Amino acid sequence: MGGVGSSGVLVGSAWCLCALPTKMAVGELGALERCLGLKEGKYSSKAQGGGQVPVLQINKGPSLAGLATIASYLAKEAKREELLGASIEEKAIVQQWLEYRITRIDRLSSKEDIRSILKDLNSYMEDKVYLAGNTITLADILIYYGLHPLMADLSIQEKETYINVSRWFSHIQHYSGIRQHLPSLIFIKTRIYSNLH
Amino acid sequence: MKLIVSEGNPHGIKVLAAAGLWAGGADIQRLQQEEKVVPFLAQPKLPALQLDNGNFLFIPNAICSYFFLSSGKEQSDLSNQWMEWEAAELQPASIAALYAHVVQGKKREEALQSIQKSLHHLDQSLAKTKSTYLLNGSLSVADVVVWASVYPLYTDLSSLPEDLTHFKNWFTNISQLEECQKAAESIVRGQGASAFKLYLQKSPAPLLPSEKTACNEEDDTAPQALSEEDIAAAAEAWSKGLADAPRPRKPQHPILPVDGDKNIMITSALPYVNNVPHLGNIIGSVLSADVFARYCRLRNWNTLYLCGTDEYGTATETKAMEEGLTPQQICDKYNAIHTAIYQWFNISFDYFGRTTTQQQTTIAQDIFNRLLQRDFLLTDTVEQLRCEKCERFLADRFVEGICPFCKYDEARGDQCDKCGKLINAVELKSPQCKVCKETPVIKSSKHLFLDLPKLEERLQKWLDKTLSAGDWTSNARYITRSWIRDGLKPRCITRDLKWGTPVPLDGFTDKVFYVWFDAPIGYISIVANYTNQWEKWWKNPQQVQLYNFMAKDNVPFHSVIFPACLLGAEDNYTVVNHLIATEYLNYEDGKFSKSRGVGVFGDMAQETGIPADIWRFYLLYVRPEGQDSAFSWSDLMLKNNSELLNNLGNFVNRAGMFVHKFFNGCVPEMELLSEDKRLVAQVAAELHQYNQLLEKVRIRDALRCILNISRHGNQYIQVNEPWKCIKGTKEEQKRAGTVTGVAVNMAALLSVMLQPYMPTVAGTIQEQLLVPHEANVLTDLFCCVLQSGHQIGAVSPLFQKLENDQIESLRKRFGGGQLNGDNPEIQVKAQSKVPAPSVDPITDSLEKVKRLQLDVEKQGNHVRDLKSKKAEKSVIDGEVQKLLTLKKELALAEGKSPDPPAQKSKKKK
């Protein structure tokens, strides 16, 4: 008499909003290294701002701490400086979105927060193909990594609500080498919900 | 290029300093207060830099970098690292310190604690490089950014920490740079830290990353980190039983505050009498407040829960005209309808009153007179819309038109539903009389106003105190703050009507109080009708904690206007301590609409044949807590069948059945092994979490804890297989006894925790298990309530499966379009749900989802069937694999990620 067991049948609607674990940040930097064609670096982590931040040990100098700092360093190491922005304006815009990633996206604390950043990004992306300038930059790559877990949790209807973010996201994930180990998310091109306000 | 900064905004300092140092000729615009400048951000965010190509920078550090780079300098990795550190660690800590000091009034030294670690880090780094600046050699953008982040806390250089010499020298050095000095002075203006007060008050209270609340929904079944002490403590509490537990309080009417007790007065927004409440109204206030009231009673707190119908106003007059009755007859009729609905939903008011009583007139007029004597009322002539055809002034909700702020074309005369702004009816564009659709004319009439600007100072003082001490939902805080930010203006409290509380002042005797002055006073008069000792509740802020429940559109009246009246009356009134506002509940992706016949209304819920407790459960499960949510029929069915039937009901039923089948209805001997103790500790942890959440009125989240406990229970039974053990050796039989005993005690605990949510089901469980009455007090302890030898009663299933056909027919019945078949808007909606015969890829994918859902369900049943028949493991495993494949396909078809992100993966035993 096992009764109606519930094992394995229920699917919870859990979503997690905790600060990004370092393991993920390191995994992400690893993905970036592969994408840039660099060798695997030596990473550790340390506490900062109430969470853990990745630390990269560099052969020729002191270690560097912080996701954005390390990512910028990697771009320079790979001689892909264009990823940091072509002009001064673009450089500042790239830096802006990297900080946005660390201070906003990695610190979401409620579903309301998620909606508010998606809303802002959606209106920002309304007339843009890339976050900064007219080519892909580090900003696109790191915001893409940062948003991936959130986007994976959106329903079709929500993806449609944030249509510009979805369009951009779908575009970036098809860039060769960027997606790496992350699952490809599905976006439907034809709108289903016409009555969204 | 234009740099926009605002007064008193601490982030302005760094950008102004950087502009001064590296971009001499920058065009700077200074705003009085926060304004929306960056077009793509929904909230105002300053400073901002508009670039020549039209793009905006809105993150201060990026703005500083831009100035730095445009002077021809370059940023090194080290500079990046400092700026990232500043953004991620220093800035949140220093804003939190500033907030604690300036807004919450904490002592400076205490507030500065949060940045000590950062300052030490700075000091040590500076000591190591032995340089005047952060980076070897020269001043860089990193110096400015880090300096400006700390500056607001050390506007007075003499207060710098003596022991951190390197930091102190560096900081003093930067502070004395002319451009930095100028930038800082232009923001601080010699006022020290208090210059930032206004800005900080309007921003949300900062959370230090380390004190962030743990996310509760992270993983419903993740084993909590339990220490050995936790487990030992839980096991000890368990073994004590009810011996030391407090006895349930027996409330006697009239309930009055008791010295030394926790005295809690709970109100839910008074429903307006001319309408039948819909599910959104019910979850928004009365049901939410009911859960909290029941919970408070279970905690043995002295609790009074009251509500009543709000009966005065134009809407009642019109409704009376429509139905050919007097206003009083209308009120009597609808008061009875409301009462019946709330009775059906099992709402446990201690008293449900109404506003059309003598007490209302007495108390409202008294408050009015006190405000008048204290000179808090103004007289003014107002222009009002008058419909010549209907021969009356069109108050508030009787005129509709285009919102002057957001252009929404169905704005009401007092408030726009879309942008939420309050509107003066004469400002509406293209106004229409709602009754006859004629265009009204503007006429003038003399009215009384509450002088809110004069009350602002004491209101602000009260708000500062209440917001920091009380539990206010974030929307309530936000709405209140933005109301104060927009500036308080005098508000009219009288209306040209007959159906209302008369104004006791010469020259105004033909007028009545405007419902929004009058209605909240209903809370007081309703208690006055309940007991003549009402002042013990209402003039007793020292002993009473007042909770107001409402939907978010009611917030300003409860957080600003009513408190202002009570404070102005200077009569020691109890003013709200905790304001709990819900967001909106939508109906199947749309709005509830009585006129269009869309949605479920209070009186129809009982006609569905679905028990009140199931309604309560589902509405609380989707309670719009923190965000809008939607009622959906298929989700209701899913939650009933999965959470209630398969999880909770299944567990309670199995626990009871085992006691009957294997132990003749007598709770067996229990001897707890370490794994049992671990489970007991896990349950105690969930109970603790449940208490913490409900104390903060997070009703929806706390419900998850109940479901987690029964999930733990199901797993426990599944793993220990008492139905097998009972047939085994003596030792194994003893094991079956322990497992059954622990499980049935978990069921008994659930029957208590469930009471606020599903009182009838909770009662049924208690009847079935014959749970002693003394168990009905909640503490943080999970104890063995049903001791061995306790006889339980007859056990039967608690829940019924909801079938697809049944739900589909209900959806059709309430989906709208039935009453108004010709409404085009609804037809469009209905169409999008019914797949068209063509091979449209979308409908095709919807079809596929449906088909897969059925397949998954079928396969799931098949697996369960095999398991219950104890089929061979290899056979079951094969079928489980098939089930998983189907689920993956379903996830793909639904557009979800088939592989849940790493941090969500569940550990299933």
Side-chain angles (χ1 to χ4, degrees), chain B residues 630-676:
Chain B
F631 171 91
S632 137
W633 284 104
S634 45
D635 191 42
L636 167 68
M637 177 176 79
L638 186 76
K639 294 292 162 358
N640 179 74
N641 294 351
S642 61
E643 291 292 9
L644 290 183
L645 190 70
N646 283 348
N647 176 12
L648 181 69
N650 185 34
F651 170 67
V652 173
N653 192 246
R654 284 165 95 187
M657 286 306 286
F658 291 159
V659 177
H660 264 286
K661 270 205 127 128
F662 307 142
F663 304 98
N664 291 322
C666 242
V667 176
E669 290 284 338
M670 291 164 264
E671 196 182 304
L672 267 52
L673 303 181
S674 73
E675 54 183 293
D676 305 315

Side-chain angles (χ1 to χ4, degrees), chain B residues 133-261:
Chain B
Y133 303 107
L134 288 175
L135 307 175
N136 274 329
S138 58
L139 178 76
S140 76
V141 63
D143 290 298
V144 170
V145 160
V146 174
W147 163 81
S149 192
V150 192
Y151 183 83
L153 297 164
Y154 294 102
T155 49
D156 176 8
L157 289 180
S158 65
S159 66
L160 284 165
E162 291 298 332
D163 49 332
L164 305 177
T165 37
H166 300 277
F167 163 71
K168 192 176 164 226
N169 293 339
W170 166 84
F171 187 88
T172 313
N173 184 18
I174 312 267
S175 299
Q176 282 162 355
L177 292 174
E178 192 195 338
E179 299 296 347
C180 292
Q181 222 170 21
K182 250 205 233 155
E185 195 37 50
S186 76
I187 296 279
V188 178
R189 293 166 183 263
Q191 295 171 44
S194 63
F196 308 109
K197 184 165 182 185
L198 216 59
Y199 170 83
L200 292 166
Q201 273 174 339
K202 288 167 189 166
S203 354
L207 272 184
L208 271 179
S210 53
E211 19 175 277
K212 253 183 16 184
T213 46
C215 48
N216 309 292
E217 299 191 50
E218 181 189 348
D219 189 337
D220 287 351
T221 53
Q224 270 115 350
L226 292 168
S227 68
E228 290 308 314
E229 290 97 70
D230 292 341
I231 296 174
E236 188 179 339
W238 157 273
S239 62
K240 278 206 176 123
L242 279 178
D244 302 339
R247 299 283 166 250
R249 175 195 286 266
K250 277 201 192 96
Q252 300 229 311
H253 291 288
I255 300 162
L256 294 172
V258 177
D259 286 346
D261 271 12

Side-chain angles (χ1 to χ4, degrees), chain A residues 97 119-132 140 163-169 172, chain B residues 40:
Chain A
W97 290 109
K119 203 173 153 217
D120 285 351
L121 278 171
N122 196 53
S123 38
Y124 180 72
M125 295 303 298
E126 195 166 1
D127 56 355
K128 292 184 182 62
V129 178
Y130 300 98
L131 282 167
D140 295 296
I163 189 79
N164 302 316
V165 179
S166 296
R167 166 179 49 72
W168 163 84
F169 192 93
I172 301 300
Chain B
F40 51 86

Side-chain angles (χ1 to χ4, degrees), chain B residues 751-861:
Chain B
S751 78
V752 184
M753 292 172 75
L754 204 54
Q755 271 177 39
Y757 295 87
M758 304 176 83
T760 310
V761 170
T764 310
I765 301 175
Q766 299 209 338
E767 271 168 36
Q768 293 187 359
L769 303 181
L770 298 175
V771 176
H773 174 67
E774 293 75 54
N776 287 312
V777 180
L778 273 173
T779 62
D780 262 349
L781 304 177
F782 169 34
C783 39
C784 178
V785 164
L786 308 179
Q787 302 271 0
S788 66
H790 171 90
Q791 184 76 41
I792 69 165
V795 173
S796 59
L798 297 169
F799 302 108
Q800 277 193 334
K801 190 168 182 197
L802 287 175
E803 300 294 343
N804 226 333
D805 303 352
Q806 185 188 356
I807 287 298
E808 272 313 308
S809 77
L810 286 170
R811 192 212 303 277
K812 277 201 192 107
R813 186 161 144 212
F814 294 104
Q818 196 193 24
L819 297 176
N820 273 354
D822 50 356
N823 189 323
E825 191 186 337
I826 289 157
Q827 279 187 343
V828 170
K829 254 190 212 153
Q831 266 172 14
S832 66
K833 292 231 163 72
V834 182
S838 74
V839 217
D840 180 331
I842 306 307
T843 45
D844 198 28
S845 79
L846 285 176
E847 280 276 40
K848 194 171 165 196
V849 168
K850 240 184 185 170
R851 205 185 61 230
L852 282 166
Q853 276 170 342
L854 281 176
D855 288 351
V856 166
E857 203 188 333
K858 234 165 83 190
Q859 185 66 15
N861 285 334

Side-chain angles (χ1 to χ4, degrees), chain A residues 2 4 18 49 65 69 95 159, chain B residues 65 81 84 89 215 650 654 895:
Chain A
V4 209
C18 295
T69 305
Q95 198 187 335
K159 283 179 191 160
Chain B
S65 286
Q81 181 172 274
E84 185 171 352
E89 175 152 331
C215 48
N650 185 34
R654 284 165 95 187

